[in-house]
Amino acid sequence: MEEIKITPQLVKEHGLTEEEYQRILKFLGREPSYTELGLFSVMWSEHCSYKSSRVHLKNLPIRGKRVVQGPGENAGVIDIGDNYAIAFKIESHNHPSQVEPYQGAATGVGGIIRDVFTMGARPIASLNSLRFGDLETDLTKQLLGGIVSGIAGYGNCMGIPTVGGEVCFDPSYAGNCLVNAMCVGLVKSDSIVKAIAKGEGNPIIYVGSTTGRDGIHGASLLASAEFTEESKDKRPNVQVGDPFLEKLLLEACLELIEKDLIVGMQDMGAAGLISSSSEMATRGKSGIRMNLDKVPRREPGMIPYEIMLSESQERMLVCGKKGKEEDIKKIFEKWDLKAEVIGEVTNTGRLEILDQGKIVADVPVHALTEEAPVYNRPYSEPKYIAKISENKLKVTEPKSYNKALLNVLNSPNIGSKKWVYRQYDHQVRTNSTILPEKGDAAVLRIKENGKYIALTTDGNGRYCYLNPRQGAKLAVAEAARNLACVGADALAITNCLNFGNPEKPEIMWQFKEAIEGMSDACKHFDTPVTGGNVSFYNETNGKAIFPTPVIGMLGHSDPKDFKNSDVPFCTEGFKDEGDIIILLGETKEDMGGSEYLYVHKKDWKAAPPSLDLDKELNLHNLLRESIRKGLLKSAHDCSDGGLAVALAESCLTGNQGADIQLPANKLSLAVHLFSETQSRAVVTVKYDEVEALGALAKKHNTPCTVLGKVQSHDLSISLKERGTAGRQGNVISLTLEDMQKAFNTAINL
């Protein structure tokens, strides 16, 4: 075909600025070809280059005694002992899911699974974190239904259990939903594979599905730009997934690794063949020469530009060992998959692309990757922040505390997510030991070494909107608290950072502040960041989502540490009548951003909950020690919804009631019940273990208050003495059936 002329308009349509185009001219020493322009466009996009976030991401802690692989590879890797490690990562597929819910979510799951098994790890679990607009709208219902179906459709077909996650709703996400998918895999420590291409003459092999026109410019023009009214026209940019083919690809790739036939391997994810080839060459300090005539295609007439930028799914790029080409092909033939040698490693440091005998692109590898622009964008505090910090909330008492609690339980942010998780297979492989909504974190048995891992995803966009630094700290703290409530040590995190347009100083300020808060908390809890994803441009017609950093945290527990307990974990449900219910931690007036005020349409825009990192860590240590000593029969953190919700959820999970007598204090009753003060947990012990728990709480400098006891039916909450609001006696009296009805109908499409 005739070469397309490069014009200023064409450069702009590729998302490149004039300054960036001048950099390209300098690197090449000439005008780029149309194919080369496409290569720079995707590799220098926000999604691939992280050009607006790199200067801030470097402030995150990334090293730790268990870190085998930190940021820079397809997934982070954490050592869990006995020559085993966990590979894990979380990534976003927000814009594709808004445009095409089912395929957007499905391919998001497929992509993160490939990121894990390309490290040599067998995927053993998936989690997700989802955000939508108001559930009462038809659009949200459509998106929720399609996205949940897409996640289920891909994960279930792969035979990978979806063991946990979160689903939240707020109008700020109405035009830009968030779909963050996390995958966890198990790998032997001596079998980890890197995404690298090195060794002059080693073959570059294309494996997996054929290449089509789906997903072209998905990373640069769909994921790296705001949504507008025209975004619906980008539906063709969303990839189409095939989980059955990916299952075959997984098995074939793991067999390659087992037989020691390859040097490196990378998923052809965002930006497809160009990202995998250039990034592998960069890591190997090498070059690659490719012949596009050899690339398997499923559509006729594809030009080099389309072949290089296609984001067709279920494809990998492999750097094989020279002389092993036929062995590699035989493995893929066995699994009924394509495997074609399309090039070789060179020592030139250049990416040379041929098509029909002609060179269509010849680019220095480092120019596409290491030399991508890096911006320290201006940032400034949004004007609304000053108003929030000055706002002193006036929390009025409800006419009926029974109704108030039922209203909060019926909120889709608080209520049961059964409608969602019942569509996921969460028990396949028989390693899931805590099922959804039975504990504060998912727990999986690792049959290979007899140990357990704990997993959770957490984030609160409302808190981060009110104070991004504090909100990010709170997200890390809640994740670590959830792991502590099941008895696990927190090891490391992966993050998915969802924000608006970084070219706006207010958005950049939110991002910078969130990174600082996350860094502080991770350092305090010794949970290094092993990788993740930045998703900018989450805006629709100029209106940004709440800043939403999502934390995916990995924990670990060894049965040998559980001295007096039959099981190496703890669940949230109340167990036996007569058990004593105790609050660990202290309740304060933390109502800013609370679900109680949000649900009742009251002013919630004030400072989010305070957080003392030392007190938080004290609670974690107390929970772990008391669980491992067999003292706690249940544990559940107090977070969204406050104490009343934590008590109700523990009742519902255990199918038991509770007789609670709140001690009088200076707090109003509504605050006492619904404050979202951090560093708290509701636990139960046998009657004769109260003193032992009190001694441990004193050792860990954590308040320990007896609230009441487990009973066979009803949740009854009363005041021991007349409080400041003049109330005394019973304030909440609800049957389990009342609470179940509210809780279980919060999401029911």
Side-chain angles (χ1 to χ4, degrees), residues 212-491:
R213 290 186 170 92
D214 50 328
I216 293 174
H217 273 301
S220 57
L221 301 185
L222 182 57
S224 299
E226 296 179 24
F227 270 126
T228 64
E229 293 296 333
E230 290 73 38
S231 293
K232 60 186 178 183
D233 296 331
K234 296 180 180 179
R235 190 177 303 269
N237 287 342
V238 178
Q239 312 96 313
V240 178
D242 182 345
F244 297 103
L245 194 153
E246 176 136 329
K247 172 62 175 171
L248 300 177
L249 182 63
L250 183 159
E251 298 299 340
C253 288
L254 293 184
E255 187 172 339
L256 280 185
I257 296 164
E258 182 184 358
K259 293 185 176 178
D260 193 26
L261 299 175
I262 65 172
V263 174
M265 176 168 59
Q266 180 161 329
D267 164 37
M268 284 191 234
L273 185 53
I274 175 54
S275 65
S276 53
S277 58
S278 60
E279 289 170 4
M280 289 176 74
T282 296
R283 294 187 186 101
K285 295 181 170 54
S286 63
I288 289 179
R289 185 177 178 91
M290 284 191 294
N291 183 354
L292 299 188
D293 297 338
K294 303 290 187 180
V295 174
R297 301 169 223 182
R298 63 172 173 264
E299 296 187 44
M302 291 187 71
I303 62 173
Y305 178 102
E306 295 172 319
I307 297 169
M308 292 301 297
L309 271 60
S310 167
E311 294 183 10
S312 294
Q313 295 291 283
E314 292 86 38
R315 303 178 303 157
M316 307 284 276
L317 196 65
V318 171
C319 177
K321 293 183 176 179
K322 193 171 183 178
K324 300 294 184 180
E325 294 89 342
E326 290 306 313
D327 293 333
I328 293 171
K329 285 185 177 183
K330 284 179 182 178
I331 288 175
F332 281 88
E333 286 173 4
K334 182 180 82 172
W335 292 101
D336 199 24
L337 293 170
K338 301 282 186 183
E340 296 287 346
V341 176
I342 65 169
E344 63 180 8
V345 178
T346 68
N347 63 1
T348 64
R350 302 185 73 83
L351 185 65
E352 301 167 89
I353 301 169
L354 287 81
D355 181 67
Q356 297 180 10
K358 296 180 180 179
I359 293 179
V360 293
D362 184 358
V363 181
V365 168
H366 68 89
L368 292 169
T369 55
E370 295 173 327
E371 298 295 337
V374 176
Y375 296 124
N376 190 354
R377 296 194 184 276
Y379 53 84
S380 61
E381 183 179 286
K383 293 179 180 178
Y384 75 84
I385 291 291
K387 295 179 181 178
I388 286 170
S389 61
E390 295 169 0
N391 189 17
K392 305 298 180 184
L393 293 177
K394 295 180 180 178
V395 181
T396 57
E397 302 299 309
K399 293 180 180 179
S400 166
Y401 292 93
N402 280 344
K403 186 175 181 181
L405 177 53
L406 291 176
N407 286 343
V408 177
L409 289 175
N410 192 239
S411 163
N413 291 330
I414 299 293
S416 173
K417 309 306 187 290
K418 186 176 181 179
W419 183 89
V420 174
Y421 72 74
R422 72 184 179 188
Q423 300 184 53
Y424 305 148
D425 189 337
H426 45 268
Q427 292 179 285
V428 63
R429 295 186 177 273
T430 69
N431 291 320
S432 305
T433 57
I434 296 183
L435 302 182
E437 295 190 349
K438 298 299 182 183
D440 282 18
V443 174
L444 273 74
R445 170 182 52 178
I446 304 299
K447 293 174 184 172
E448 287 77 1
N449 66 2
K451 297 178 182 178
Y452 292 77
I453 61 170
L455 305 164
T456 186
T457 56
D458 289 285
N460 189 312
R462 206 182 303 153
Y463 287 169
C464 288
Y465 168 79
L466 297 172
N467 184 326
R469 183 182 294 239
Q470 186 74 353
K473 281 186 187 179
L474 292 168
V476 177
E478 182 175 359
R481 193 184 321 129
N482 285 337
L483 298 188
C485 280
V486 299
D489 293 311
L491 299 184

Side-chain angles (χ1 to χ4, degrees), residues 7-18 21 37 41 221:
T7 65
Q9 181 59 31
L10 186 63
V11 170
K12 184 178 180 181
E13 289 172 358
H14 277 71
L16 294 163
T17 66
E18 174 59 29
Y21 183 67
L37 183 68
S41 171
L221 301 185

Side-chain angles (χ1 to χ4, degrees), residues 727-746:
R727 297 295 299 266
Q728 188 176 13
N730 219 35
V731 291
I732 287 180
S733 182
L734 292 168
T735 66
L736 291 176
E737 291 75 17
D738 290 334
M739 293 188 292
Q740 284 170 347
K741 183 178 179 181
F743 189 70
N744 291 335
T745 58

Side-chain angles (χ1 to χ4, degrees), residues 348-632:
T348 64
R350 302 185 73 83
L351 185 65
E352 301 167 89
I353 301 169
L354 287 81
D355 181 67
Q356 297 180 10
K358 296 180 180 179
I359 293 179
V360 293
D362 184 358
V363 181
V365 168
H366 68 89
L368 292 169
T369 55
E370 295 173 327
E371 298 295 337
V374 176
Y375 296 124
N376 190 354
R377 296 194 184 276
Y379 53 84
S380 61
E381 183 179 286
K383 293 179 180 178
Y384 75 84
I385 291 291
K387 295 179 181 178
I388 286 170
S389 61
E390 295 169 0
N391 189 17
K392 305 298 180 184
L393 293 177
K394 295 180 180 178
V395 181
T396 57
E397 302 299 309
K399 293 180 180 179
S400 166
Y401 292 93
N402 280 344
K403 186 175 181 181
L405 177 53
L406 291 176
N407 286 343
V408 177
L409 289 175
N410 192 239
S411 163
N413 291 330
I414 299 293
S416 173
K417 309 306 187 290
K418 186 176 181 179
W419 183 89
V420 174
Y421 72 74
R422 72 184 179 188
Q423 300 184 53
Y424 305 148
D425 189 337
H426 45 268
Q427 292 179 285
V428 63
R429 295 186 177 273
T430 69
N431 291 320
S432 305
T433 57
I434 296 183
L435 302 182
E437 295 190 349
K438 298 299 182 183
D440 282 18
V443 174
L444 273 74
R445 170 182 52 178
I446 304 299
K447 293 174 184 172
E448 287 77 1
N449 66 2
K451 297 178 182 178
Y452 292 77
I453 61 170
L455 305 164
T456 186
T457 56
D458 289 285
N460 189 312
R462 206 182 303 153
Y463 287 169
C464 288
Y465 168 79
L466 297 172
N467 184 326
R469 183 182 294 239
Q470 186 74 353
K473 281 186 187 179
L474 292 168
V476 177
E478 182 175 359
R481 193 184 321 129
N482 285 337
L483 298 188
C485 280
V486 299
D489 293 311
L491 299 184
I493 76 164
T494 177
N495 58 39
C496 206
L497 309 176
N498 308 277
F499 289 79
N501 185 343
E503 298 166 48
K504 297 178 180 178
E506 296 82 2
I507 300 298
M508 210 59 231
W509 180 85
Q510 291 175 336
F511 183 81
K512 180 189 76 71
E513 288 292 296
I515 291 294
E516 293 299 327
M518 188 180 303
S519 177
D520 289 346
C522 286
K523 289 175 182 176
H524 208 86
F525 302 139
D526 192 20
T527 52
V529 181
T530 62
N533 172 227
V534 176
S535 176
F536 279 132
Y537 295 99
N538 289 290
E539 300 198 6
T540 302
N541 296 326
K543 186 175 181 180
I545 61 165
F546 284 161
T548 311
V550 172
I551 304 299
M553 188 173 284
L554 169 69
H556 180 248
S557 62
D558 189 335
K560 295 177 183 177
D561 297 331
F562 290 71
K563 306 301 182 185
N564 301 306
S565 179
D566 295 331
V567 291
F569 51 83
C570 188
T571 54
E572 72 180 43
F574 293 151
K575 301 298 186 297
D576 298 301
E577 189 173 357
D579 288 345
I580 303 304
I581 301 169
I582 292 172
L583 175 66
L584 300 177
E586 180 184 6
T587 302
K588 299 179 180 178
E589 192 163 351
D590 289 307
M591 297 297 287
S594 69
E595 193 67 23
Y596 171 79
L597 292 178
Y598 184 80
V599 165
H600 291 97
K601 301 187 184 334
K602 305 293 184 182
D603 179 15
W604 54 267
K605 293 184 179 180
S610 56
L611 179 66
D612 184 315
L613 292 172
D614 288 329
K615 290 181 178 179
E616 183 72 45
L617 187 56
N618 288 343
L619 174 67
H620 301 176
N621 291 332
L622 169 59
L623 286 165
R624 281 190 285 264
E625 184 174 357
S626 55
I627 290 171
R628 290 171 181 180
K629 287 188 173 182
L631 292 178
L632 300 191

